[in-house]
Amino acid sequence: MQEHKQTPSDEQSSKKTPSRPQGEISVFHNALELEAEARRKAELAERERQKQENEAAYQAREEYAKELAEEKVDLIRLKQGVISEEELNLPQELEKHYTIWQKIGNWFYHSKWWLWGAIFCALVGGFLIYDLVTRKNPDIRVLLLSENPYFDQQSVSLEEWIKPVCEDFNGDGEILVGTVYIPVTKENMESTSNISAAYNSQLLVQFQSDTCMLVILDERAEAYLNPDEMFVNLEELYPDCEFADGIRLHLNETDFAKQIGMTEPLHEGCYLALRRPLENMTSLKKMQKAYDKAKVVLDGIIPMLHRTQEAQSNG
């Protein structure tokens, strides 16, 4: 009995996949057609919507342009006197009604610039008033023109040394002595820096006011002053004072530095001077009053000064 052998064509026929049923193909095809139809309808609807929007925008522009043209014509006719203002048909703005909080917020919004400026001025003014009320005014001040680190850093010792011979001139129940330090040297007064300009301004203001009538200076500071015109002749005021020499009360020859706790010697030619009561920015009456106070303090300072041992040996 002969065996039947499969040919290559038979093998290929046996390996073919079974075909999809006709009904399934029809359902899939219908679904694709429905989806495509839905997309077309949506696209047509979107186009129609955009067309209507464009037409509405065009109509609005046309209406606006027409209104502008009519208003322009009416304004020309009004200018020419053809119509009156009552006949002029311009659109009226609707009156807006605001709540109380909206009114307050609107007021703050439109007033913010000057309001912040007013607040700033009020704060500055309040600070100045507070400083004026609470600040303690010294009964007398001494102007320190001799450049010395001690006068800048340890001026409290000098103030405490003067305090026992000072009186309660301002009547506040407390004796207080103050100092004003301006280091007058060629370097400080003749440089091009802002500090030099400030020192020159301070020096000018001090000799135009009655703030400081007692002055401690030296030979370096004299170059920027007119000592003979500014200061009183102390030799005439205190003929019995051995340290008085013309307008100068020589401090180098005394134990002044030791009494106020200075570890370094005073500069050469350092002396104490009393300003003349001359009328400048301050009235002559106020200058004389300040001079009288300074004279009382100077009367107390002179007996406190003693000749140093070096000066005695040199004498």
Side-chain angles (χ1 to χ4, degrees):
M1 187 175 181
Q2 294 181 351
E3 295 182 356
H4 177 71
K5 294 182 180 180
Q6 292 184 349
T7 63
S9 60
D10 295 335
E11 291 179 359
Q12 290 176 359
S13 299
S14 63
K15 291 181 180 179
K16 286 183 179 180
T17 58
S19 59
R20 182 175 294 180
Q22 185 66 30
E24 184 177 348
I25 293 175
S26 299
V27 171
F28 181 73
H29 182 71
N30 290 337
L32 290 177
E33 287 183 348
L34 291 174
E35 183 179 354
E37 183 67 21
R39 285 200 299 269
R40 282 195 298 272
K41 289 182 178 180
E43 184 177 352
L44 290 174
E46 178 63 21
R47 289 179 180 177
E48 183 65 23
R49 186 188 65 79
Q50 292 181 357
K51 179 181 178 182
Q52 292 178 358
E53 285 186 356
N54 292 335
E55 289 180 356
Y58 174 77
Q59 291 295 333
R61 290 195 297 271
E62 288 294 316
E63 290 292 334
Y64 183 67
K66 183 179 179 181
E67 291 178 2
L68 289 179
E70 291 176 354
E71 290 177 5
K72 186 175 181 181
V73 171
D74 288 342
L75 290 173
I76 293 175
R77 296 174 65 193
L78 175 65
K79 187 176 181 180
Q80 293 174 347
V82 178
I83 60 175
S84 63
E85 292 186 2
E86 290 75 11
E87 297 174 321
L88 188 63
N89 186 23
L90 294 177
Q92 301 294 325
E93 293 185 0
L94 296 177
E95 183 180 358
K96 296 181 179 180
H97 299 279
Y98 298 97
T99 65
I100 185 66
W101 293 111
Q102 287 175 330
K103 292 179 180 179
I104 294 174
N106 187 54
W107 181 83
F108 274 103
Y109 176 79
H110 289 92
S111 306
K112 58 186 177 181
W113 293 114
W114 71 262
L115 187 61
W116 281 115
I119 292 174
F120 175 78
C121 293
L123 290 175
V124 172
F127 173 78
L128 293 176
I129 293 174
Y130 174 80
D131 180 67
L132 181 64
V133 172
T134 59
R135 182 178 57 189
K136 295 182 178 180
N137 293 319
D139 296 283
I140 196 167
R141 288 185 177 91
V142 180
L143 181 59
L144 306 174
L145 301 183
S146 180
E147 187 276 327
N148 195 307
Y150 179 86
F151 291 148
D152 185 27
Q153 302 168 7
Q154 303 293 332
S155 60
V156 176
S157 299
L158 173 60
E159 295 168 4
E160 291 298 319
W161 181 74
I162 298 175
K163 192 173 179 179
V165 296
C166 185
E167 298 180 6
D168 183 15
F169 295 116
N170 56 24
D172 62 355
E174 182 179 2
I175 297 177
L176 186 63
V177 178
T179 55
V180 177
Y181 178 59
I182 305 176
V184 178
T185 62
K186 183 177 181 179
E187 294 78 11
N188 291 339
M189 306 303 289
E190 298 184 11
S191 68
T192 57
S193 65
N194 293 333
I195 296 178
S196 177
Y199 284 151
N200 279 278
S201 298
Q202 291 180 38
L203 187 65
L204 176 63
V205 169
Q206 286 300 324
F207 280 93
Q208 291 289 322
S209 69
D210 63 338
T211 303
C212 302
M213 300 300 289
L214 288 174
V215 185
I216 295 179
L217 65 160
D218 54 35
E219 294 176 351
R220 295 184 300 176
E222 283 187 336
Y224 303 92
L225 304 172
N226 293 315
D228 294 330
E229 298 179 5
M230 294 178 170
F231 302 132
V232 175
N233 190 319
L234 299 182
E235 192 173 2
E236 295 178 357
L237 282 180
Y238 305 101
D240 297 331
C241 179
E242 59 180 320
F243 309 116
D245 179 18
I247 61 172
R248 300 168 180 80
L249 184 67
H250 295 289
L251 297 177
N252 293 91
E253 302 174 5
T254 70
D255 58 352
F256 167 76
K258 182 179 179 181
Q259 289 193 48
I260 65 174
M262 292 184 64
T263 56
E264 299 294 330
L266 296 168
H267 287 301
E268 186 67 28
C270 186
Y271 65 93
L272 178 64
L274 176 64
R275 287 176 56 195
R276 296 177 182 271
L278 303 175
E279 184 175 13
N280 293 301
M281 291 175 57
T282 306
S283 65
L284 183 59
K285 182 178 179 180
K286 289 185 177 181
M287 291 293 293
Q288 185 63 49
K289 187 176 180 180
Y291 170 85
D292 294 339
K293 295 177 182 179
K295 175 65 167 52
V296 171
V297 174
L298 186 57
D299 289 344
I301 288 177
I302 288 180
M304 296 168 59
L305 299 175
H306 307 92
R307 183 175 289 275
T308 61
Q309 294 180 356
E310 292 81 359
Q312 291 177 359
S313 61
N314 291 336

